[in-house]
Amino acid sequence: MITEEITLFYDDQNCVVLPGKIFAAEDIVLAAAGSLTCIRALYKNAVRANALERFAYCVVSDTEYAAGTAEKKIVQMLNKVLRERKPGGIILYTSCTEIITKMDYDRIKEALSNPGKIPVEVLYRGPMVKRFRNVRKDLNDILLRIAYSGRTVRAVRKVLPPVTPDFEGIASALQVWDTYNFLLSAGGCDGCFSAPAGLKKPYQLTKTRFNNLEAAVGCEDRLSVLLEKDLQERADGRLCCLLSSAVPHLLGVDSVHLASQMSEKGLPTVYLESDGFHSGNEGISRMYLTFVRKFAGETEADAPGSGKQHCGVGILGSHLLASAAEGKISHGIEHLHRDGYDVFLPEEHPLGEIGKLAGTRFNWVVSAEGLEAAYWIKEKFQIPVLAALPVGKRSMLQWRNRVAGMMKKRNPEELKKEGVWLEVPEVSADNDSRSALLIGDPVLTHGIALYLKEMRGFHRVTRAVYAPVQTMENWYRRVLKMADGDTLAESGIQEEKLSDVVYFRSGSHADKLFREHDLIIGDRIFKTSAEEEEVERKWLDLPDPLLSHGIITEHKDYTIFGKKGAAWLDTFLDCSS
């Protein structure tokens, strides 16, 4: 059992040999099942090989592994490949999770509907088999057994991307702070990693590596010794942020206890809940919550009620993989400074200062990942929340009025008398008969939807969220409901709730949404996954870095705040008329 450092730069291309050899065979489909971790890594390799039509996957949850329903899900996936793509062969690419749960592959193959007798082979690979199998030789033997059929794999709708796993999202968000980041892993989980755009320093993460024998004899005690030794030699007194992945999770490793053990030995450690089965959105949300609970509790004496406040406006959710990362909300921060307000952005300060969010006048939330922590602070310290990214002059003035009311603790009538309340223009009389589909972070798309309805007169605007994992949809529904009353002030149209979104998880559902709208605004990763249509939809690329980082490395620039955001949208809307 060892530890090793992962060092990534944004332009790294993590070339994995085994998938590349499979994708080189033009009549073979690589099919995979497992946690988000494994599937995300394979998806990236399929994109690089321009072989998405020869890649199929199903994400299996930890609950499905525990309940014994994973085999059924894999059979359904393989039957769909056999029915729709008619390949010359299929190679089922195993993950550690199937090995640990003792998946019966013979039973899976017997359950297939395969009248054409298309070869279906299983490639056993990963840390849980490397001790007793020569995987490269196994793959060469499999490729020799599958005779070249001369077939061309039928083109089907390209596969929608698996979302970033929780521990990768957290590790990326941590890069702005001077923490020591440590991942509990069997060893192969770094294939999913890509560093965030704009990161100018080496990506800092250390991970473990162990095999099936070490897992079988019980690895928690060994991990404890290994972690302690590593922190003593490398952490230099920094806070260790402990992350976990699928294999330690399925083995029952108690990460909370490990973190507690290290702290008791004078090695400050905090466990950030993660397992590779949940999305990066959920992981970053829990990360913020963990940090504010830890550090705001330590500064409770300075919180509201003590007579002392740290600053005016706190900002939550502007992490490195957010659509509303720091550079994209700088125009809003400039307005706050211009209006005389102090601003606290945790990503610009040492991590321990995040507790200052419990001593602000209010906290401005700029992505869904910041909501959970903001509402914990609101409940504990009575700090108000504003979850809004205003687009256009009208929304920006509404936003500034809300800010003024929160900062000065005056109602609108008092602020009007003081001359502080800004005059908000009426809703535009424009009437645009088109419909628009907005895909992305709901806090961001809420502001865009208001602009399209109020100032451009769109008759229908649908906000959509891609949530292919059920826990991800459940999390969105919960956190968005919290903020329904804390968006912009009463608007000129019927107020749209933050939680008024449509969730989709399949390509067919995405295609249906695309066909129902004239214009689409969202990450172009969905455009590459869309079914070919005779009439191509007008598409504005609005990057979602948490989803597309490491897959799409270059996006056109975009502006999302205030009048500049409206100008960016108008250029697209007017060209699309």
Side-chain angles (χ1 to χ4, degrees), residues 145-160:
R145 285 200 298 272
I146 302 178
Y148 179 62
S149 65
R151 296 175 182 164
T152 299
V153 175
R154 284 187 184 177
V156 295
R157 182 187 302 108
K158 289 184 178 176
V159 184
L160 288 177

Side-chain angles (χ1 to χ4, degrees), residues 231 237-241 259 262-270 294:
L231 295 184
R238 290 174 289 170
L239 175 68
C240 172
C241 293
M262 296 304 109
S263 294
E264 289 172 2
K265 293 177 180 181
L267 300 166
T269 304
V270 60
K294 175 179 175 62

Side-chain angles (χ1 to χ4, degrees), residues 416-468:
K416 284 176 184 176
K417 288 177 183 178
E418 296 174 15
V420 176
W421 201 254
L422 301 167
E423 198 64 39
V424 177
E426 294 296 321
V427 169
S428 171
D430 287 352
N431 186 12
D432 196 316
S433 62
R434 293 175 293 178
S435 61
L437 173 66
L438 312 180
I439 308 172
D441 183 272
V443 177
L444 171 56
T445 60
H446 182 266
I448 296 174
L450 287 180
Y451 176 74
L452 294 180
K453 290 179 179 179
E454 291 182 340
M455 306 312 293
R456 296 292 304 225
F458 271 60
H459 78 100
R460 183 162 67 98
V461 179
T462 302
R463 296 164 54 235
V465 172
Y466 177 52

